[in-house]
């Protein structure tokens, strides 16, 4: 099962996870990262790297975040692949612990 980026990534976009991914399955949007479920090899090395705690194995996605399983699969079709870490969004630390950020997702 692939891993899934959830709500906590929105308006943060820390990219620590990108550098450790052995298969380059992350895709970058304006204020969110998504994981390509067809490319993810379920290695889980990205999970502890995320400062926001936004990445879960698909079977462990919290019940209030299940919509992110389909959302990751959808967004990777339009977001380009990101293969190297870059600076987080300027106010990422302010947004890191904010809940219910789906309304702020930029496509």
């Amino acid at each position: 099962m692939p891993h899934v980026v959830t709500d906590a990534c929105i308006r943060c976009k820390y990219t620590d996870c990108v550098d450790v991914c052995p298969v380059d399955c992350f895709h970058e949007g304006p204020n969110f990262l998504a994981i390509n479920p067809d490319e993810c090899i379920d290695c889980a090395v990205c999970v502890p790297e995320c400062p926001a705690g936004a990445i879960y194995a698909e079977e462990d996605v919290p019940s209030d975040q299940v919509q992110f399983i389909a959302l990751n699969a959808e967004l990777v079709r339009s977001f380009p692949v990101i293969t190297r870490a870059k600076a987080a969004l300027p106010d990422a630390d302010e947004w890191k612990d904010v809940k219910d950020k789906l309304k702020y997702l930029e496509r």
Side-chain angles (χ1 to χ4, degrees):
M1 291 242 169
H3 281 70
V4 177
V5 181
T6 60
D7 190 69
C9 183
I10 297 171
R11 295 197 79 165
C12 293
K13 200 170 74 169
Y14 296 104
T15 58
D16 307 61
C17 53
V18 172
D19 270 344
V20 299
C21 181
V23 295
D24 297 334
C25 68
F26 282 90
H27 291 245
E28 179 186 25
N31 69 350
F32 182 72
L33 297 176
I35 293 176
N36 185 329
D38 296 328
E39 299 292 327
C40 180
I41 59 170
D42 197 26
C43 68
V45 296
C46 59
V47 175
E49 297 300 318
C50 180
I55 304 172
Y56 293 87
E58 184 175 335
E59 64 270 14
D60 296 330
V61 171
S63 60
D64 66 334
Q65 302 284 303
V66 171
Q67 70 271 27
F68 282 89
I69 297 170
L71 190 58
N72 274 245
E74 172 192 333
L75 294 174
V76 298
R77 293 191 300 252
S78 60
F79 287 177
V81 172
I82 178 173
T83 59
R84 297 279 180 246
K86 55 175 72 170
L89 294 176
D91 55 355
D93 291 339
E94 297 169 32
W95 283 94
K96 184 171 82 167
D97 298 317
V98 174
K99 306 291 183 210
D100 300 319
K101 298 187 287 185
L102 184 57
K103 61 188 168 210
Y104 301 110
L105 177 66
E106 295 176 29
R107 295 171 181 256

